[in-house]
Amino acid sequence: MGRFIMTISKLAKGSTGNRLGFFFYTADSDGSGSIDKKEFRKCITALGFDAPKADIDEVFSQFDEDGSGEIELKELKKALKRRVELDPSLQ
């Protein structure tokens, strides 16, 4: 899942932040303004990552800081920024 985190982290940086928004709103298939676990899994698969469901769910839980069962765009950006600060190799 490190490769996934790196890919999404790069989308969140600088002028590519718009791409993160595009990723987010594409993943938000029901238009609710947030991504639930099912949408997140579909998105990971669509990006070409073949990871066990448990691994994808673990990453989702790490991004879902408020434990609501959904990830909002602001929450995703904050979680990715924190991950990059903790692990500069993700830049």
Side-chain angles (χ1 to χ4, degrees), residues 20-28 33-35 71-73 76:
L20 180 63
F22 178 78
F23 160 81
F24 182 87
Y25 291 110
T26 300
D28 179 20
S34 61
I35 300 173
I71 302 170
E72 293 79 27
L73 181 57
L76 180 61

Side-chain angles (χ1 to χ4, degrees), residues 66-83:
D66 64 6
S68 66
E70 299 179 328
I71 302 170
E72 293 79 27
L73 181 57
K74 185 169 92 172
E75 199 172 25
L76 180 61
K77 285 181 179 180
K78 183 179 174 185
L80 288 171
K81 182 179 178 186
R82 189 177 65 250
R83 292 280 229 141

Side-chain angles (χ1 to χ4, degrees), residues 10-22:
K10 287 183 180 181
L11 289 175
K13 293 172 84 176
S15 64
T16 59
N18 290 337
R19 284 190 251 165
L20 180 63
F22 178 78

